[in-house]
Amino acid sequence: MNRTEDVFLSHEHLWSYRTRTVDPKSQTIRSVTHNGILQRSTAETLCEEAARISTKELVELKSANHCPFTFNEYLSYYFYKIYLAYNCSKNEIIRNRWVIRNLIDPNITTDPLLHNVDAKYLKDLINACKAYCEGTEYAVAKLLQLFSDDIWKHGEVSCNPAPSPAAYKKPQTTVLLYTSERLKIFLNAVYSSSCPHRLEFLLALFCGLITGEILGLTYKDFTPCTRVLEIHHQYIKNKQLSPDASRYIYKQLDTERIRDFQVPDFIGEELIRR
């Protein structure tokens, strides 16, 4: 359920506590908030007692239905024990951890046993996350599809219940074109600070190099006397990983992308200085 503190001060200056309530009939765990308590110590005592009872009831519910996980419990297990074991993209790991903590967890108001997860439950959960910002529905749907595929393959459900991410609007990457004024502001910031990546910024802005091409440069690609820069390699993620393989590879560019050109004097000076 929501991972915020379970005992908190409400807006009426009284204490509240949040606990889980087990519903044996629907085989669902619900989040319930109790309000109007005068003292924090009383709220903490009641919260601890309620947690003890709900934990006991949940164990009994799981045992009676031969299901060791609720949806939220298995989502956490899946991410830390399964997903992290095969996913090597640090960016994807960080993004999906953020999606779970900041989008999915806060919007789980009911937590069914794993084998009761269906398409409606997942669609409602995705819909509850859309208020955060544009694109969150797609991010949540994409993660839940991976999760649902796992529980389907392990026989917890009869089919993959997750809706396709294609049903939700995918956020589009937009190219930002600086106006002259914005470019002056950006360059003033770069030159007025001890920016360690000044050269990289200049190569991107004034030579049209993309990130992988910049990372693929070596000093032998630049001829100082002529100020000619050769672009023929890039540094990219390795999509065919084996246990002993590097996460990134140094790759020859396609023929049509290999090029050389004379850089402006101020970039040549930065290259020589580097």
Side-chain angles (χ1 to χ4, degrees):
M1 311 299 281
N2 196 326
R3 294 180 180 177
T4 54
E5 188 178 1
D6 289 329
V7 177
F8 53 95
L9 194 63
S10 67
H11 63 279
E12 297 93 354
H13 304 291
L14 296 172
W15 289 94
S16 301
Y17 70 92
R18 184 183 297 105
T19 188
R20 302 197 300 176
T21 299
V22 177
D23 183 352
K25 187 175 180 180
S26 64
Q27 299 180 13
T28 299
I29 294 82
R30 303 181 185 279
S31 177
V32 179
T33 300
H34 305 268
N35 302 308
I37 302 166
L38 293 176
Q39 296 181 329
R40 180 187 179 102
S41 59
T42 303
E44 289 175 341
T45 300
L46 292 171
C47 185
E48 290 173 3
E49 178 62 16
R52 184 186 65 78
I53 294 172
S54 66
T55 298
K56 179 176 180 293
E57 292 176 343
L58 182 55
V59 169
E60 293 173 351
L61 180 67
K62 290 177 179 178
S63 178
N65 291 276
H66 308 289
C67 185
F69 293 101
T70 67
F71 164 78
N72 202 22
E73 288 172 342
Y74 194 80
L75 180 62
S76 179
Y77 173 84
Y78 165 77
F79 182 81
Y80 289 103
K81 299 297 184 181
I82 300 175
Y83 177 82
L84 293 184
Y86 73 79
N87 194 296
C88 299
S89 171
K90 186 176 181 181
N91 287 342
E92 287 188 17
I93 290 171
I94 292 172
R95 179 175 64 248
N96 283 328
R97 181 185 288 118
W98 187 91
V99 167
I100 291 173
R101 290 180 177 176
N102 296 279
L103 297 177
I104 296 178
D105 276 0
N107 285 292
I108 293 178
T109 55
T110 60
D111 190 16
L113 291 181
L114 188 59
H115 60 213
N116 290 332
V117 173
D118 58 17
K120 183 180 184 306
Y121 177 80
L122 296 179
K123 286 180 180 178
D124 288 345
L125 179 57
I126 294 169
N127 188 58
C129 297
K130 72 178 182 181
Y132 190 89
C133 68
E134 184 179 0
T136 54
E137 289 174 292
Y138 178 82
V140 173
K142 191 175 179 181
L143 176 59
L144 289 181
Q145 187 179 58
L146 292 175
F147 166 80
S148 298
D149 192 53
D150 178 81
I151 63 175
W152 169 55
K153 288 178 179 177
H154 283 83
E156 298 293 342
V157 290
S158 59
C159 63
N160 186 336
S164 170
Y168 300 93
K169 184 178 179 181
K170 183 179 180 180
Q172 299 297 317
T173 302
T174 56
V175 177
L176 175 62
L177 299 177
Y178 280 175
T179 62
S180 297
E181 191 60 34
R182 287 176 178 171
L183 185 57
K184 288 178 183 178
I185 294 172
F186 180 80
L187 291 175
N188 282 336
V190 169
Y191 278 98
S192 63
S193 65
S194 55
C195 179
H197 303 301
R198 180 188 301 163
L199 172 61
E200 287 78 3
F201 287 138
L202 296 178
L203 288 169
L205 283 168
F206 297 102
C207 296
L209 272 65
I210 63 174
T211 305
E213 292 173 342
I214 294 173
L215 293 173
L217 288 175
T218 65
Y219 290 113
K220 65 182 179 181
D221 295 326
F222 177 61
T223 306
C225 61
T226 61
R227 299 197 189 285
V228 170
L229 183 65
E230 298 178 12
I231 313 297
H232 49 81
H233 285 93
Q234 65 178 336
Y235 203 48
I236 62 172
K237 290 180 182 177
N238 186 358
K239 295 182 179 180
Q240 297 179 340
L241 284 175
S242 59
D244 57 345
S246 172
R247 288 180 56 198
Y248 295 89
I249 55 175
Y250 193 56
K251 180 184 177 183
Q252 177 83 19
L253 286 173
D254 296 332
T255 303
E256 62 271 16
R257 289 179 56 193
I258 295 175
R259 59 204 187 276
D260 62 79
F261 52 86
Q262 191 172 45
V263 300
D265 288 345
F266 66 94
I267 295 181
E269 292 168 4
E270 284 290 339
L271 276 161
I272 293 170
R273 188 177 295 115
R274 175 69 67 85

